[in-house]
Amino acid sequence: MVAMTKRLKTFQVVFTDPSKTFYCGGDRVCGRVEVEVNEVTRVSAMKLLGLGCAKVEYAKGKQRCRQEAEYLRHEEVLLMDDQPSDSDGSVVLRPGNKYNYTFGFELPQQGQLVSSYKGKFGYVHYYVKAMMERPQQPTLECKKPFEVEEPLDVNTPDLLSPTGGMKEKKVTCMFIPDGQVSLNVKIDRRGFCEGEDICINAKFENTCSRIVVPKAAIIAKHIYQANGRTKVFRQKLSSVRGNHIISGMCDAWQGKTIRVPKIKPSMLGCNIIRVEYALMIYIHIPGSEKLILELPLVIGTCRPWQPKQQREQPGGFG
C-alpha cells in the first residue's frame, strides 16, 4: 500500500528480498522505505511499525462478537542513508532525489508466532507500516504485508503412531428395530503433509435391510473464539467412496487412499483461531442419519522422514 499526495511522488515499503514468500520465527525482516517528492518537504521523523495480530469478528444473534490478539509489535525510528539531519532530527527532501530509510528487525523465536491466516470469520495478518511525520501537517502512512508460516513437524512419535476407532449404529424403521451398521477403521499415523496419501484399512458390516454406502472425507474445522463464545466452520476438502453394501453383507478397505489436498497446515498455537483437520469415515444409510467416525489429523510442513516400510503398519482385520 502506497500513500500518495501532491507533494509525494513515491512513498513505499520495499523488502530486501521481494521473492521471499514467507518468514518464520527468528527470521529477520529487512527492507527500506523509499521516498521521492515533487516539492521540497521537511520530514521531522520517519517511524516504522512491525505488527502481527489475530482478529475474530462475527454476529451471534443480535450480539457482535469480536476479539483480537497481538503476536508481534516492533517500533523504531528510521534514519536516512547518507543524509545529514538538522539539530532537531528533521531532514529536508528535495525533488529529483530518491531517499531511502533502511530497516531490519528480528521476528520472535519459533513458538511465539502463529502462521498467517485468512478465514470466514477471522484472520492473522502481519505487516510493516511506515509513518512519515511532518511539522504542522498530518502524518502520512504506507503499509506492506508479509506472510508468516511457522513450521509444524509431524515427525513425532505421537503423530507417527497408528490410530483408529470403531463405531456402530442401531437402525430402526417406524420405531421397529431393523438391524445395525458398524465400522472399524485404522490408519498408520495422524501426521501428514499436503500431497501425501492417507491409507485407510477399514471393515464395514451391514445387518439392516437397506443398502448402505461407506465413504471417507478429509474435513477442516475452523474454530473462532470471541467474547467467550465459539463458532465453528466446517469444510469437506476431498472424499472417496466405496461399494454399495447390501443387507447381511460386509466390505473391507485394504489400503484405500485419500490424498491430502493443497491446504494450510494445522493452526494450533493461536488462542482465538484454530484450524484442525480430521479424517471422517462414515456410512450413508438411506432414511437414517449417517454413522460417522472422525479421526483427528495434524497437517504439517515437514514430511515424515521414516521410510514407509519401516513404519509400524496397522495391519488388516481378521
Side-chain angles (χ1 to χ4, degrees):
M1 182 186 299
V2 181
M4 301 299 291
T5 70
K6 291 181 180 180
R7 287 176 176 263
L8 285 178
K9 181 179 179 182
T10 303
F11 179 34
Q12 64 182 358
V13 175
V14 178
F15 293 128
T16 301
D17 184 2
S19 65
K20 191 175 179 68
T21 55
F22 63 85
Y23 295 81
C24 301
D27 286 351
R28 282 187 62 80
V29 179
C30 300
R32 63 188 181 276
V33 179
E34 294 183 350
V35 184
E36 292 180 89
V37 296
N38 293 318
E39 300 177 12
V40 174
T41 303
R42 179 174 290 275
V43 177
S44 56
M46 182 72 73
K47 296 181 179 179
L48 187 89
L49 174 66
L51 190 68
C53 66
K55 181 179 179 181
V56 170
E57 187 170 7
Y58 59 86
K60 193 85 168 180
K62 294 183 178 180
Q63 183 180 1
R64 196 75 184 173
C65 297
R66 177 174 178 172
Q67 196 150 338
E68 296 186 25
E70 188 173 278
Y71 292 96
L72 168 69
R73 177 171 287 271
H74 169 83
E75 298 179 70
E76 65 175 301
V77 177
L78 303 182
L79 299 177
M80 189 183 300
D81 297 349
D82 304 322
Q83 175 75 7
S85 59
D86 292 347
S87 58
D88 61 359
S90 65
V91 295
V92 176
L93 309 184
R94 302 184 184 281
N97 297 321
K98 179 178 285 190
Y99 301 94
N100 291 317
Y101 293 82
T102 58
F103 67 86
F105 61 92
E106 189 171 294
L107 295 176
Q109 293 301 310
Q110 292 181 12
Q112 299 178 41
L113 295 178
V114 296
S115 297
S116 299
Y117 169 84
K118 185 176 182 181
K120 189 174 180 66
F121 301 108
Y123 61 77
V124 180
H125 283 179
Y126 293 86
Y127 61 87
V128 171
K129 179 167 71 173
M131 295 162 284
M132 182 191 298
E133 297 182 353
R134 302 171 297 163
Q136 300 178 337
Q137 295 187 68
T139 298
L140 299 176
E141 298 181 352
C142 66
K143 288 183 180 180
K144 183 80 169 181
F146 63 93
E147 295 282 316
V148 168
E149 184 177 289
E150 282 291 85
L152 179 54
D153 192 352
V154 296
N155 291 294
T156 66
D158 177 50
L159 298 182
L160 292 176
S161 298
T163 187
M166 57 192 304
K167 207 167 186 181
E168 62 183 29
K169 172 183 172 67
K170 294 184 184 299
V171 182
T172 60
C173 181
M174 300 297 291
F175 305 105
I176 300 173
D178 185 28
Q180 68 177 30
V181 294
S182 65
L183 56 82
N184 190 345
V185 182
K186 293 181 182 178
I187 56 177
D188 67 344
R189 53 189 163 102
R190 293 196 306 121
F192 293 88
C193 294
E194 68 173 57
E196 288 195 292
D197 288 332
I198 302 174
C199 294
I200 308 169
N201 288 327
K203 183 178 180 180
F204 307 96
E205 186 173 2
N206 177 24
T207 62
C208 75
S209 64
R210 307 165 208 192
I211 298 174
V212 303
V213 184
K215 300 179 181 180
I218 296 175
I219 302 295
K221 291 185 282 187
H222 302 252
I223 304 165
Y224 304 91
Q225 294 181 319
N227 303 120
R229 296 172 176 264
T230 300
K231 192 175 188 72
V232 180
F233 176 66
R234 290 171 60 95
Q235 288 178 294
K236 182 188 289 187
L237 303 175
S238 57
S239 61
V240 294
R241 61 183 291 158
N243 299 320
H244 291 75
I245 306 173
I246 63 174
S247 177
M249 298 298 291
C250 300
D251 195 15
W253 291 353
Q254 297 290 344
K256 190 175 186 68
T257 61
I258 182 170
R259 179 156 295 180
V260 178
K262 184 177 177 60
I263 52 177
K264 285 277 192 177
S266 299
M267 185 171 167
L268 307 175
C270 181
N271 56 1
I272 62 174
I273 302 173
R274 286 177 67 88
V275 180
E276 300 176 354
Y277 297 95
L279 175 66
M280 181 173 76
I281 301 93
Y282 58 105
I283 299 178
H284 176 73
I285 309 168
S288 181
E289 292 185 356
K290 301 180 181 72
L291 172 62
I292 299 174
L293 175 69
E294 289 191 6
L295 301 178
L297 302 174
V298 173
I299 306 302
T301 59
C302 307
R303 292 181 180 276
W305 56 266
Q306 287 182 292
K308 187 173 181 180
Q309 64 271 20
Q310 291 183 9
R311 299 190 197 116
E312 182 181 354
Q313 296 297 312
F317 298 90

